Amino acid sequence: MKTSRQDDPTQLISSVFTGRGLLRDSVIYWIVVAGLALSGALIGDNYIRHVFILVFIWCIVIASWDLILGYAGIFNYAQLVFFAVGAYSSAMLSIYAGFTPLLSIACAAIFGGAVGALIAIPSLRLKGEYVALFTFAVHLALPPVIQQGKAIGMGGHTGLLGVPWLNLFGYQVSTIDKLTWFWVSLAFGAVCVYVIYFVVLRGRMGLAFVAMRDAGTFAQSIGVNENKYKFLAFVVSAVFTAIAGGIYAHYTTVVTPKILGTEFFLMAMVMIAVGGMGRFPGAILGVFVVVIGNELLRSFDDYRLLLLGVAVVVLVIFFPNGLAGLTRRRRADGDRA
């Protein structure tokens, strides 16, 4: 009879949070990415390509949120603030400063990291639900700031229009060029998700995050600097989310305060709840299911969010650990076979 990996905690930890199995998992990951890239050429419908472009952008946002919420165990609800900072800063640098879109996205990542640091500093003094309250208050405070920011070029209520198209080494990628955008967004998404899950979370930082989440007192007793790693969790998560915001701005060519609205926030919450926190690839599966499911339900108009909410409630009741818990259970059953 085979021994389950769950019966040997040392084996489980070494395979998930260190380099063991990294090559195998990386090969599988990039094969899946290559398959998605090929599917972009096979899909003939631009609307379906558009849905997948949104999926790839959301994958960056949710993977970043999973890093801080699922793995580090920090109740941060200001994730879309980082997204908005990335979108607005990239758009404004392109429009007013004449930066190329790729350069403006890189600068947006820096701005996002700076905002993440600013939010992290007071959050270090707080615990649990108080971090959630503080970060959610920041989320609620930003839309009025943007709406009153017309004087400094933020567009006010109407937002920023005419954000420049992405420029790839002299080639203008227009919004209507869905095939190129499919590949571009997939490339950005695949690289960002890989760095988050396979580089950051499988290294010392990821191990420190999990130690803080599961046994904070013990982690500190063996030398894990809680404030340092909480700060890093905010900054790293903010940097990648801001990159997603910059990509979104140059894809849609429009940035408005609606990206901080209730629908965006609830969609993000549903994605990470459906997929499962802290269990790769759960959060990514959640993005695919929710974004595609939301588009399929658009024909129901006013009942769309209601139906999506009911589906989430049912899923949470029967699969409390999300889709990741289901896949993990199947792997465990296979090990016991």
Side-chain angles (χ1 to χ4, degrees):
M1 183 176 65
K2 294 182 180 180
T3 302
S4 170
R5 287 171 55 185
Q6 291 183 329
D7 295 336
D8 184 355
T10 304
Q11 184 182 2
L12 183 63
I13 292 173
S14 65
S15 64
V16 175
F17 296 111
T18 68
R20 182 171 182 178
L22 179 60
L23 178 60
R24 178 203 61 200
D25 295 344
S26 296
V27 169
I28 294 172
Y29 177 83
W30 289 113
I31 287 174
V32 172
V33 171
L36 286 171
L38 178 61
S39 70
L42 298 177
I43 296 171
D45 192 323
N46 276 336
Y47 176 71
I48 296 177
R49 286 175 180 156
H50 166 72
V51 172
F52 274 97
I53 292 167
L54 296 180
V55 166
F56 302 145
I57 294 173
W58 271 111
C59 278
I60 305 173
V61 178
I62 300 304
S64 303
W65 201 8
D66 193 28
L67 180 148
I68 188 170
L69 183 61
Y71 285 88
I74 301 171
F75 293 96
N76 166 44
Y77 291 109
Q79 201 67 25
L80 290 187
V81 170
F82 307 144
F83 185 80
V85 168
Y88 270 92
S89 58
S90 186
M92 292 173 71
L93 287 171
S94 295
I95 293 172
Y96 303 126
F99 284 22
T100 62
L102 286 179
L103 179 59
S104 66
I105 291 172
C107 292
I110 297 172
F111 282 116
V115 172
L118 290 175
I119 295 176
I121 291 171
S123 298
L124 298 178
R125 297 177 175 270
L126 304 173
K127 299 287 185 181
E129 63 272 16
Y130 295 104
V131 178
L133 289 171
F134 170 70
T135 53
F136 189 60
V138 173
H139 174 92
L140 294 177
L142 189 58
V145 172
I146 293 175
Q147 290 166 6
Q148 298 302 320
K150 193 170 185 178
I152 59 173
M154 299 188 76
H157 293 274
T158 58
L160 293 172
L161 308 177
V163 181
W165 291 334
L166 195 64
N167 188 317
L168 294 177
F169 311 107
Y171 177 71
Q172 295 281 343
V173 186
S174 70
T175 304
I176 60 175
D177 187 357
K178 300 298 182 186
L179 178 57
T180 304
W181 260 110
F182 182 99
W183 286 329
V184 168
S185 59
L186 174 61
F188 271 106
V191 171
C192 289
V193 170
Y194 183 84
V195 172
I196 290 170
Y197 284 111
F198 290 81
V199 178
V200 175
L201 290 173
R202 289 206 181 199
R204 292 174 61 88
M205 192 184 300
L207 190 58
F209 289 162
V210 175
M212 286 192 316
R213 180 195 68 188
D214 294 341
T217 303
F218 175 73
Q220 292 180 63
S221 71
I222 60 174
V224 176
N225 188 325
E226 183 178 13
N227 285 343
K228 170 187 172 181
Y229 284 104
K230 279 187 175 180
F231 182 84
L232 287 173
F234 270 101
V235 172
V236 173
S237 180
V239 165
F240 283 105
T241 307
I243 291 173
I247 298 167
Y248 178 83
H250 292 285
Y251 171 60
T252 60
T253 69
V254 177
V255 183
T256 70
K258 287 182 65 177
I259 60 178
L260 286 164
T262 303
E263 183 172 350
F264 268 64
F265 183 77
L266 290 178
M267 285 286 290
M269 288 287 291
V270 169
M271 288 174 198
I272 202 163
V274 167
M277 295 183 292
R279 295 179 177 86
F280 180 77
I284 304 304
L285 293 176
V287 174
F288 276 82
V289 170
V290 174
V291 174
I292 295 173
N294 183 57
E295 294 301 323
L296 292 175
L297 291 173
R298 282 200 180 275
S299 59
F300 292 92
D301 198 18
D302 294 336
Y303 298 100
R304 174 172 55 88
L305 293 179
L306 175 62
L307 292 171
L308 191 61
V310 170
V312 170
V313 170
V314 171
L315 184 65
V316 169
I317 290 174
F318 290 100
F319 305 104
N321 292 323
L323 298 174
L326 180 61
T327 58
R328 190 173 183 180
R329 184 186 307 172
R330 286 182 176 178
R331 286 199 303 267
D333 290 342
D335 288 337
R336 285 194 291 267

